[in-house]
Amino acid sequence: MDDAYDEGADARHGPDSPSGTLPEPAAESPGPPDAPAESPVLPRTGVAALSPRYQVGAALALALVAVAACVHLGMVFLSVAPANTVTKQHGKAIEDWVYPEFEQNWKLFAPNPLQQNIAVQVRADVLMPDGTTTTTGWNDLSAQDGRVIDGSLLPSHTVQNELRRAWDFFTTTHGTDNRAIGLRGSLSQQYLRRIVVMRMYAGDATSQKGTIERVQVRSSTTNVAPPDWSGEKVSDTPVYRVLPWWTVPADEANGGVA
């Protein structure tokens, strides 16, 4: 019994282990570290796939395209830009490059800053109550509008634009000889005449006393003085464009178009 018990105990705990415990298994020695996996070599694409000789050729072609694009954009820019030193010296070359294939029907700079002051002036032949006819002096209507604008925080569009746009309308539909060009010439003349007649009845003391029979309009154009640092010299003498006398119809007389 004892032998059997002892054998059973020895068999359960192991003869060589203290207190009858099983021995720890021997740790396995680590093997050599795994070698890093080699990354696959990607094939070269685009210009890099070309041989050095063709890479040089492609670089030169791209450079020529970039230069041509810059020259073209510069020429188009100068063709629509306001007059400057470059366009004055090389205007023919710019026109030869741009026209007619690359013509632009729009302006890059809008509005184009004016370099002249243009004033619209008018005088009238007035039939007085005693039967005599009196010619008024020149009334500067643009100066009158300017005084109203300077004294108002919120000037109306009529004060700012009515007279100016009427004069622009007239000049674009008439030649330098004041003859109408196209079908809108008569309309522009009638429009301008009605405006100046109303303005004379509203602001001219002589016209208010009688009946306006005729009006004559002129423009006074004066160059804007350049800045002192530019060294540019321009004339400050006004240049006048005088229109012929216009007969005022009966339905416009005495302010009939108010």
Side-chain angles (χ1 to χ4, degrees):
M1 290 289 292
D2 294 338
D3 293 342
Y5 178 79
D6 292 338
E7 289 177 0
D10 292 338
R12 185 171 60 248
H13 299 290
D16 298 329
S17 60
S19 304
T21 59
L22 292 174
E24 295 290 336
E28 296 182 0
S29 60
D34 295 337
E38 295 183 359
S39 59
V41 178
L42 298 177
R44 293 186 295 179
T45 59
V47 178
L50 302 175
S51 64
R53 182 177 63 180
Y54 287 106
Q55 288 183 7
V56 173
L60 291 176
L62 291 175
L64 290 175
V65 171
V67 170
C70 292
V71 171
H72 176 70
L73 292 176
M75 289 293 191
V76 174
F77 174 87
L78 291 172
S79 69
V80 297
N84 54 71
T85 304
V86 177
T87 56
K88 291 178 181 178
Q89 294 182 354
H90 306 287
K92 185 64 169 62
I94 295 172
E95 291 180 0
D96 292 342
W97 180 281
V98 173
Y99 297 100
E101 289 83 3
F102 307 112
E103 179 182 2
Q104 302 294 327
N105 292 322
W106 45 267
K107 291 295 183 181
L108 180 63
F109 297 94
N112 185 16
L114 294 176
Q115 298 182 3
Q116 296 174 326
N117 288 323
I118 302 175
V120 179
Q121 303 170 351
V122 61
R123 64 178 178 178
D125 279 348
V126 182
L127 178 62
M128 306 304 290
D130 59 3
T132 60
T133 299
T134 301
T135 301
T136 68
W138 288 103
N139 286 253
D140 194 332
L141 304 183
S142 297
Q144 295 174 10
D145 287 345
R147 287 191 292 269
V148 174
I149 293 172
D150 291 341
S152 175
L153 294 177
L154 298 172
S156 68
H157 285 286
T158 301
V159 174
Q160 297 180 73
N161 300 317
E162 182 183 55
L163 181 64
R164 179 180 61 85
R165 295 297 299 272
W167 179 253
D168 289 342
F169 185 24
F170 179 86
T171 56
T172 55
T173 56
H174 287 74
T176 55
D177 58 354
N178 299 323
R179 293 182 179 273
I181 301 174
L183 300 177
R184 298 198 302 168
S186 177
L187 177 63
S188 66
Q189 176 177 324
Q190 181 182 16
Y191 181 55
L192 179 60
R193 185 188 68 232
R194 290 189 172 192
I195 290 176
V196 298
V197 168
M198 287 190 296
R199 295 289 297 271
M200 290 294 283
Y201 277 123
D204 181 69
T206 304
S207 301
Q208 293 172 351
K209 297 177 182 178
T211 301
I212 296 178
E213 295 184 319
R214 297 191 309 166
V215 291
Q216 186 177 33
V217 181
R218 74 177 184 183
S219 67
S220 173
T221 303
T222 307
N223 292 320
V224 176
D228 296 335
W229 50 263
S230 69
E232 183 180 1
K233 302 296 183 182
V234 297
S235 173
D236 57 356
T237 303
V239 176
Y240 295 99
R241 176 177 178 177
V242 182
L243 307 185
W245 284 94
W246 294 335
T247 300
V248 178
D251 59 346
E252 298 178 17
N254 292 316
V257 246

